[in-house]
Amino acid sequence: MTKKITLSKLNGLLKDMEVEALEGVTIEGDIELEMDAIGGLNPQLAYMLGQETAQIAGHLINISQLLGYPVDQLLSKPVNDDKQRMIKPMELNRSTFQVNKMEEWTNEIQEVTLGASSSDGGTRKSIITVGGENALPYYFDSPMPHRNHITMDVFDMPIGMAKAVKSNYEDVMDSPAEWAKKNVNEFGADMVTIHLISTDPNIKDTSAKEAAETVADVLQAVDVPIVIGGSGNPEKDPEVLEKAAEIAQGERVLLASASLNLDYERIANAAKEYGHVVLSWTQLEINAQKELNRKLMKQCNVDREDIIMDPTTAALGYGLDYAYTNMERIRLAGLVGDDELNFPMSSGTTNAWGARESWMIDSPLKEDSDWGPREYRGPIWEIITGLTLALGGNDLFMMMHPASVAVLKEITKSLHGSLARDTVDISNWVTTKV
Amino acid sequence: MKINSPLEVYQYLPQTNCQECGELTCMAFASHLIDRSIKLEDCKPILEDAYKEKYQDLSELMAPEIAEVIIGVGEHAVTVGGDDVLYRHQLTFFNPPAFAVDVWDTMSQSDLIERVTFIKDYKKFYVGRFLTLDMIAIRSVSGDPDTFKHAVTLVMEHTELPLVLCSLDPAVLQAGLEVAAEKKPLLYAATKDNWQDVYDLVVEYNVPVVLFAPDELDTLKSLAITFIENGCKDLILDPGTNPQGRNLRESFENFIMIRRAGIKEGQKEIAFPLMAVPMTAYMTNDDPVSASYWETVLCGVFTVRYGDIMILHSIEPYALLPEMHIKDTVYTDPRTPVKVDSRVYKVGSPDKDSPVFVTTNFALTFYTVESDLASNEINCHLLAVDTDGLGVEAAVAGGQLTGKNIADDFKKSNFDFSDKTSHNIVIIPGLAARLQGDLEDTSGLNVMVGPPDSGRIPGWMEKNWDGK
Ligand code: SF4
């Protein structure tokens, strides 16, 4: 489309729009211009003037620039100012929020049951099932069939422990059976773990047979499922766990643990023979975990429903970043289809007590601000360590301090959605009086 | 980020391999852009006019999925948001959540000053640096604009930390802005009831703002869209932090849904940093220890799952310490090596009579030992043995810390005991006690066994070290 317009007319037009581009420029004689499509139209200008006038103005600018007049600079300033363009919104732009579920999570985590009742050849009154998830913990994609469970530690001899922990157990330290009872009856443990640490040749070298009797005592004392732990001595543990497995025949205990640095086949065989579950323990290495699980299944013929993993727990501030990410990667790998990693997980959350923040009376560093009373610091260290791993996919927690157990239960049950509590009106939290 | 291969990035770069950015080639620079270890602006040539378009296009393609919002000015300003992934192992998380500890306008002047001073000074040493708190949230409890303004003024007199101005009454917020606007505080909050007035404040004072719609994601999104369409980009979203029971689970789900929408589904209008308010723990727990514990727990939950700013109340060290550590845990870059160079380090100014300690090159172990020694003014030499980044206990068990390794690493550092010491003694960690004989045999040194925790070295020194 071609239009004809005179330069003086254009000038007047722009003046009306308060564009004072050609003011002070004297035009001698009128020039007739041909208007057609213009290249390089300034979009800001177009926005401000409207398309048709902008076309005209574009030509005008070209001309005035020929005349040596800096029109562009004059124009660009007010147009760039954001505030001028804002018109106060009068109404909310109504919209709805929507997000999809994770389609990639197609592979279920193996369900594993711990403890056997009399109808299944055991003597346990409570049975616990872990696993069965189709999503990360507490996600909306798929309901989490079983809540997290907590097994509390019992040792077969008095051991050194943080003061805040010890004060809870001083009366039962000499009797694993009493200790186990206290864990269940007073502290609400879902399970107990009997650690046979005195069997270590460097500690007491208690015989496997004697250790098995301790296991029998604990099984007598409580009717919850139990975990049986060795001393961590790779030479002695297979023998100790074999004897323990034998005496606990039919109870579906968790044998802790099979690992790559000991004769895992003996542990696996003991579990198979006496009807238990194997804890597959590796040290913060997803590929090692895959390898051990594979060996347990393929080489030792352990059934899928008899494997739980412990990918290792490091304390808050002391490698929890690795432990957490390792678990989360394992869980995600399992959910998207890795059948060597889709097992429930267990955490030695008690390791949190190795962090100096949990037990030292104060910071050894003069530059640090006050660390506050350690009797409060320790339990929360254990809680946050456990909570982080719960979010990463851990199912079962081995823990020590009763307060930590209570709080971790409360938060994991809340996130699980199985805890009814009053609704709090948070809309005006700002004015809370504390 | 809308782009994920260095090759794609390369198309936009000047491709001159001029090395001004410090990289050998543009391709190398491109791969650093992809892992976000370098900024596009470090390539000076691309800022020139000739590349203007490519620069703009690339900036847009490289923008993180979750918007970055800056609160405050100057060296204390905090940046929040900026994440590109849902799980830290997929890259790393950027910009750790900012912890804002509260004060309120009905506090006495002296209490307020004391609290602000405590917050700004609180610190804990960790792996070569200090963990600290980031911001102050000032709550209007009085509801009175002048009282609020007075509190804001007082806080600003005592700290440079960025502020969150908290009130749902626009008049109160305005009073705060009148004295604090140039420090670019964060406004809390625009809601479905007050948003028009708060919008005016945001535009007038040019500050970032929180949009608050508890339990209502539709409303939250509507607010966000309305603000974006009207020129506001510095937004933070608060879907509500219910402190307990099933409502807490809902809040947790909301955080996950919003973040998934932003990162996985590219829903730009909701891809903003999220605020969690663990302080709501105080609305249900009367006992201060329970409340403080529960607040710490909520802070943990939302630090792991996508909170970018936290409003906290407790200043008990047993709450602050685990909170600062969980933040560090989740936001530590999983890609960076956690080893220090294996060599002999000087702590203080050691002479020939000073002790010689051994530890491993795992950064956490090394810095812990080094800071314990330095802080207690123990002049000494400290060898970081190359254990491939394992701690003492694991390295002894795994065979990376042996008598031979220790002797070898002293040699590699050219540390000759007969020259550097008068005593020919080396002190090994208590957790490596079993290496004593081995090391004596391989090195010919006198080997002493130190305490199992380096925090106990000062006490150990008193008993066992007289300089000979
Ligand atoms: S500065 Fe830019 S142009 Fe030069 S080498 Fe680096 S990326 Fe390439």
Side-chain angles (χ1 to χ4, degrees):
Chain A
M1 195 187 15
T2 307
K3 275 187 189 171
K4 289 193 176 181
I5 189 168
T6 64
L7 189 53
S8 55
K9 217 171 161 192
L10 249 181
N11 203 8
L13 195 74
L14 289 179
K15 230 181 204 149
D16 288 347
M17 293 182 293
E18 294 174 48
V19 179
E20 293 164 29
L22 291 187
E23 242 185 336
V25 177
T26 327
I27 300 165
E28 289 181 17
D30 222 347
I31 312 161
E32 205 174 62
L33 299 166
E34 289 226 329
M35 305 294 292
D36 49 39
I38 337 158
L41 182 62
N42 180 341
Q44 285 172 330
L45 198 67
Y47 177 87
M48 194 168 139
L49 301 177
Q51 191 59 30
E52 197 178 346
T53 17
Q55 279 195 349
I56 301 167
H59 273 285
L60 183 70
I61 288 161
N62 289 341
I63 295 157
S64 34
Q65 271 166 349
L66 280 179
L67 300 171
Y69 208 85
V71 195
D72 238 351
Q73 287 165 32
L74 289 174
L75 278 169
S76 60
K77 200 174 169 228
V79 176
N80 267 349
D81 193 337
D82 276 351
K83 266 187 205 168
Q84 288 205 348
R85 279 194 296 172
M86 281 181 196
I87 302 147
K88 182 171 171 160
M90 298 309 291
E91 254 182 86
L92 261 194
N93 186 338
R94 284 273 157 208
S95 177
T96 50
F97 176 82
Q98 201 269 328
V99 73
N100 294 310
K101 291 187 174 179
M102 292 290 294
E103 283 162 16
E104 299 89 327
W105 294 345
T106 52
N107 201 34
E108 187 172 299
I109 304 304
Q110 177 68 46
E111 252 182 10
V112 176
T113 299
L114 293 167
S117 63
S118 54
S119 56
D120 291 315
T123 61
R124 303 298 92 193
K125 292 269 159 26
S126 68
I127 307 297
I128 280 165
T129 307
V130 288
E133 301 97 330
N134 283 287
L136 280 179
Y138 327 124
Y139 273 47
F140 60 95
D141 301 87
S142 166
M144 183 170 164
H146 310 289
R147 69 168 173 91
N148 307 86
H149 288 90
I150 296 175
T151 175
M152 288 181 76
D153 295 326
V154 171
F155 294 87
D156 69 345
M157 61 180 274
I159 57 155
M161 50 177 88
K163 212 174 149 208
V165 179
K166 198 175 196 166
S167 59
N168 297 289
Y169 300 111
E170 255 150 356
D171 54 334
V172 293
M173 265 215 208
D174 292 314
S175 163
E178 291 306 310
W179 193 337
K181 266 191 207 160
K182 191 169 189 183
N183 284 350
V184 176
N185 299 337
E186 280 185 41
F187 302 145
D190 299 312
M191 298 176 58
V192 293
T193 304
I194 173 70
H195 296 277
L196 303 170
I197 56 162
S198 77
T199 57
D200 189 326
N202 300 320
I203 299 178
K204 270 192 181 169
D205 205 11
T206 305
S207 71
K209 191 163 165 287
E210 219 178 304
E213 275 153 30
T214 305
V215 172
D217 290 346
V218 171
L219 282 167
Q220 270 291 318
V222 296
D223 53 18
V224 296
I226 72 164
V227 184
I228 302 174
S231 67
N233 183 301
E235 278 79 46
K236 184 89 177 274
D237 270 0
E239 181 196 349
V240 170
L241 292 177
E242 275 168 356
K243 279 272 174 291
E246 185 181 349
I247 212 154
Q249 177 157 21
E251 298 284 11
R252 243 188 122 62
V253 307
L254 179 60
L255 284 183
S257 352
S259 71
L260 288 166
N261 65 4
L262 52 62
D263 191 349
Y264 53 84
E265 197 160 2
R266 285 176 69 184
I267 317 282
N269 287 339
K272 279 193 299 181
E273 186 164 353
Y274 302 111
H276 303 305
V277 178
V278 182
L279 188 62
S280 167
W281 172 52
T282 55
Q283 283 173 295
L284 295 177
E285 227 294 284
I286 188 168
N287 292 316
Q289 189 69 60
K290 243 174 109 67
E291 181 189 342
L292 181 57
N293 293 353
R294 180 163 60 235
K295 286 183 161 152
L296 290 174
M297 289 187 288
K298 299 268 157 67
Q299 179 189 338
C300 311
N301 296 312
V302 178
D303 286 338
R304 289 186 56 85
E305 61 263 31
D306 297 337
I307 297 176
I308 293 180
M309 305 181 281
D310 177 356
T312 292
T313 292
L316 175 62
Y318 295 83
L320 180 61
D321 46 336
Y322 297 103
Y324 160 67
T325 283
N326 188 41
M327 279 194 173
E328 192 166 82
R329 285 183 66 191
I330 288 174
R331 177 50 48 94
L332 287 168
L335 289 171
V336 298
D338 190 328
D339 281 326
E340 288 170 345
L341 288 173
N342 62 336
F343 296 97
M345 291 189 279
S346 170
S347 148
T349 317
T350 304
N351 287 352
W353 290 94
R356 54 164 65 171
E357 286 80 355
S358 70
W359 57 267
M360 257 192 198
I361 205 151
D362 200 357
S363 174
L365 299 186
K366 295 191 179 74
E367 296 83 354
D368 272 2
S369 301
D370 187 12
W371 278 13
R374 62 172 161 177
E375 54 270 37
Y376 296 133
R377 241 190 286 129
I380 193 81
W381 222 261
E382 193 178 10
I383 294 164
I384 298 298
T385 301
L387 169 63
T388 307
L389 298 179
L391 292 163
N394 191 68
D395 300 275
L396 181 67
F397 297 85
M398 303 197 182
M399 298 180 71
M400 218 65 259
H401 196 286
S404 313
V405 170
V407 176
L408 193 75
K409 261 197 180 176
E410 176 86 13
I411 185 63
T412 51
K413 278 186 181 173
S414 305
L415 292 173
H416 182 245
S418 46
L419 203 58
R421 289 274 184 270
D422 291 345
T423 296
V424 178
D425 177 12
I426 54 167
S427 63
N428 209 2
W429 68 266
V430 168
T431 57
T432 308
K433 292 201 171 62
V434 277
Chain B
M1 237 190 272
K2 296 277 172 281
I3 207 168
N4 47 31
S5 92
L7 206 65
E8 281 175 81
V9 174
Y10 181 76
Q11 315 294 333
Y12 292 87
L13 295 175
Q15 306 182 0
T16 60
N17 299 336
C18 74
Q19 305 190 354
E20 241 188 272
C21 56
E23 296 300 321
L24 286 179
T25 61
C26 293
M27 197 55 160
F29 185 81
S31 56
H32 283 297
L33 279 179
I34 288 292
D35 68 25
R36 289 181 63 179
S37 58
I38 214 167
K39 286 207 307 284
L40 180 53
E41 287 71 22
D42 292 339
C43 167
K44 297 297 172 216
I46 205 174
L47 300 177
E48 287 162 16
D49 268 358
Y51 296 105
K52 204 170 164 191
E53 258 177 52
K54 292 206 161 175
Y55 169 70
Q56 276 170 359
D57 290 351
L58 189 53
S59 303
E60 242 164 69
L61 290 167
M62 303 282 313
E65 295 296 333
I66 303 300
E68 279 187 334
V69 175
I70 298 170
I71 304 156
V73 292
E75 59 163 332
H76 288 284
V78 298
T79 305
V80 294
D83 279 323
D84 265 322
V85 292
L86 288 171
Y87 312 106
R88 63 188 285 276
H89 70 269
Q90 294 172 327
L91 182 67
T92 182
F93 288 151
F94 295 90
N95 304 319
F99 286 177
V101 183
D102 80 325
V103 299
W104 51 101
D105 67 352
T106 49
M107 294 178 88
S108 77
Q109 182 151 336
S110 59
D111 286 355
L112 183 80
I113 294 170
E114 193 188 329
R115 192 168 163 94
V116 168
T117 308
F118 180 90
I119 296 165
K120 86 172 158 67
D121 290 340
Y122 199 83
K123 60 178 182 172
K124 172 164 194 290
F125 187 80
Y126 184 64
V127 198
R129 67 196 198 283
F130 283 99
L131 306 175
T132 55
L133 299 165
D134 308 295
M135 309 202 284
I136 308 253
I138 309 172
R139 296 188 294 122
S140 164
V141 173
S142 70
D144 174 52
D146 286 337
T147 310
F148 188 66
K149 189 190 250 180
H150 180 72
V152 174
T153 308
L154 206 55
V155 172
M156 286 171 61
E157 280 166 15
H158 290 89
T159 182
E160 294 285 320
L161 290 180
L163 306 177
V164 190
L165 306 181
C166 307
S167 171
L168 301 185
D169 178 351
V172 171
L173 288 178
Q174 170 145 24
L177 282 169
E178 279 163 11
V179 286
E182 66 191 38
K183 300 279 183 192
K184 218 176 164 202
L186 174 62
L187 278 199
Y188 188 96
T191 66
K192 65 174 182 225
D193 302 318
N194 72 7
W195 67 271
Q196 282 173 313
D197 292 331
V198 175
Y199 170 83
D200 282 345
L201 294 175
V202 170
V203 171
E204 185 179 347
Y205 292 97
N206 190 24
V207 287
V209 64
V210 182
L211 310 179
F212 177 42
D215 311 322
E216 290 180 37
L217 296 191
D218 290 348
T219 307
L220 193 60
K221 184 176 172 189
S222 305
L223 280 167
I225 290 178
T226 307
F227 272 67
I228 297 166
E229 282 178 348
N230 292 284
C232 299
K233 295 185 301 284
D234 292 337
L235 308 178
I236 285 167
L237 310 179
D238 179 359
T241 304
N242 285 295
Q244 63 185 10
R246 297 210 177 93
N247 300 316
L248 168 57
R249 172 171 167 118
E250 262 168 52
S251 296
F252 177 80
E253 287 180 352
N254 287 342
F255 274 70
I256 290 161
M257 288 199 260
I258 295 174
R259 188 52 46 97
R260 183 184 294 174
I263 287 183
K264 190 157 184 286
E265 300 187 6
Q267 298 187 29
K268 275 285 158 222
E269 60 283 10
I270 198 124
F272 290 96
L274 296 173
M275 176 185 274
V277 186
M279 198 198 139
T280 54
Y282 282 83
M283 300 177 88
T284 95
N285 290 282
D286 293 332
D287 159 57
V289 177
S290 311
S292 190
Y293 257 52
W294 198 247
E295 182 184 61
T296 309
V297 163
L298 295 181
C299 178
V301 169
F302 291 105
T303 298
V304 174
R305 293 287 180 234
Y306 310 135
D308 297 292
I309 300 190
M310 306 275 159
I311 306 282
L312 301 167
H313 175 72
S314 177
I315 54 167
E316 294 294 342
Y318 60 79
L320 296 177
L321 293 176
E323 285 165 352
M324 295 196 297
H325 272 288
I326 190 60
K327 158 158 103 171
D328 189 81
T329 296
V330 177
Y331 281 76
T332 291
D333 189 339
R335 302 166 302 173
T336 49
V338 285
K339 293 187 272 189
V340 297
D341 287 347
S342 166
R343 62 179 175 87
V344 178
Y345 293 79
K346 278 185 186 173
V347 182
S349 39
D351 58 25
K352 285 194 162 197
D353 294 331
S354 306
V356 181
F357 291 94
V358 170
T359 188
T360 81
N361 75 336
F362 177 36
L364 175 59
T365 307
F366 176 81
Y367 284 119
T368 306
V369 176
E370 191 214 38
S371 57
D372 285 343
L373 293 165
S375 159
N376 288 290
E377 285 151 30
I378 297 171
N379 295 314
C380 61
H381 298 280
L382 175 62
L383 170 68
V385 180
D386 182 4
T387 57
D388 222 13
L390 289 179
V392 174
E393 214 171 0
V396 170
Q400 291 85 353
L401 187 62
T402 63
K404 185 167 179 308
N405 287 353
I406 297 172
D408 285 353
D409 283 355
F410 272 121
K411 272 201 205 106
K412 276 187 207 146
S413 286
N414 293 320
F415 192 89
D416 180 358
F417 276 75
S418 56
D419 173 39
K420 298 266 169 55
T421 73
S422 60
H423 47 68
N424 221 34
I425 295 172
V426 59
I427 304 161
I428 61 172
L431 293 173
R434 68 166 83 158
L435 304 181
Q436 188 176 22
D438 184 20
L439 181 57
E440 271 171 359
D441 294 347
T442 44
S443 66
L445 298 168
N446 295 320
V447 179
M448 293 177 80
V449 176
D453 188 301
S454 60
R456 291 180 168 174
I457 288 178
W460 183 91
M461 290 277 289
E462 249 164 59
K463 267 197 224 142
N464 298 293
W465 189 260
D466 56 5
K468 280 174 210 96

